Amino acid sequence: MNTKENTLTNPSLERLSPQYWVAKYADYLYCFAMARINDGDLAKDLVQETFLSALEKAEKFEGRSSEKTWLTSILKYKIINIYRSRPFTVNNLTDGNSIIGFKEFFQQHDGHWNVEDRPKEFVSTDVNIVENKEFHSMLQQCMKKLPVLWMSIFKMKFIDEELTTFICEELKITSANYWVIIHRAKVNLRACLQKNWS
């Protein structure tokens, strides 16, 4: 179908500028995808699929958000579908490389921290540590060590700021499993950062 002809016949496309999407939004969408799936080829494919889906759904665009926000929303759901499609088991909450469970950090009889494993104060003289490229790189490396499900949930919660109910519903997990996973992901990320970030 000719995009120019669509613009003339579809009033929704008059509010959109699909001819400029690649130039204006491809890099942003690619970075958005990469921050969530850590796979360059897949991120490129998802951006292309996002543009295609947006063209197919152009009549649903009501103009209540910007083009960028609308495209990002389409991409976000494509990423959630990737999370859903990846094989994982909720019952095995300790899979993955170098994953630390409760036994390694906590006392069996009362659940309190082992003295040697208590979290150390995480101090940085860098006021903008989150914007520090080296810290960000180390955080990404630590996140890659998490099992796929843990990483997916952690990113949905703390990068995309999704509601717990939404995450549980989309990934088909219980609230109890969600909280166990979030806790273990945080413990493992903290341990990884304390070990590798100075």
Side-chain angles (χ1 to χ4, degrees), residues 59-150:
E59 70 280 354
K60 295 181 182 176
F61 179 71
E62 297 175 355
R64 286 189 266 163
S65 64
S66 69
E67 268 185 331
K68 182 178 181 181
T69 301
W70 183 64
L71 291 167
T72 304
S73 176
I74 294 170
L75 176 58
K76 186 187 286 189
Y77 277 95
K78 291 190 174 298
I79 292 168
I80 289 171
N81 286 335
I82 295 296
Y83 291 162
R84 276 194 212 130
S85 70
R86 288 183 172 174
F88 57 74
T89 58
V90 173
N91 294 332
N92 184 4
L93 296 177
T94 57
D95 59 344
N97 301 325
S98 305
I99 294 302
I100 299 165
F102 287 125
K103 291 178 187 172
E104 289 84 355
F105 273 144
F106 303 102
Q107 297 171 19
Q108 291 292 350
H109 66 281
D110 63 7
H112 291 119
W113 286 94
N114 295 325
V115 174
E116 65 276 8
D117 293 317
R118 285 185 183 144
K120 298 173 185 81
E121 186 141 352
F122 197 71
V123 179
S124 173
T125 55
D126 185 355
V127 177
N128 298 315
I129 192 167
V130 176
E131 295 174 14
N132 181 304
K133 288 182 181 179
E134 291 172 2
F135 176 80
H136 184 71
S137 175
M138 181 52 61
L139 178 60
Q140 290 296 321
Q141 288 177 32
C142 288
M143 281 197 284
K144 286 179 186 177
K145 293 180 181 180
L146 295 175
V148 173
L149 176 62
W150 295 18

Side-chain angles (χ1 to χ4, degrees), residues 35-54:
R36 287 150 182 85
I37 57 172
N38 301 315
D39 181 329
D41 291 335
L42 182 56
K44 287 176 190 173
D45 290 344
L46 288 174
V47 171
Q48 289 176 1
E49 289 176 24
T50 297
F51 291 146
L52 183 60
S53 291

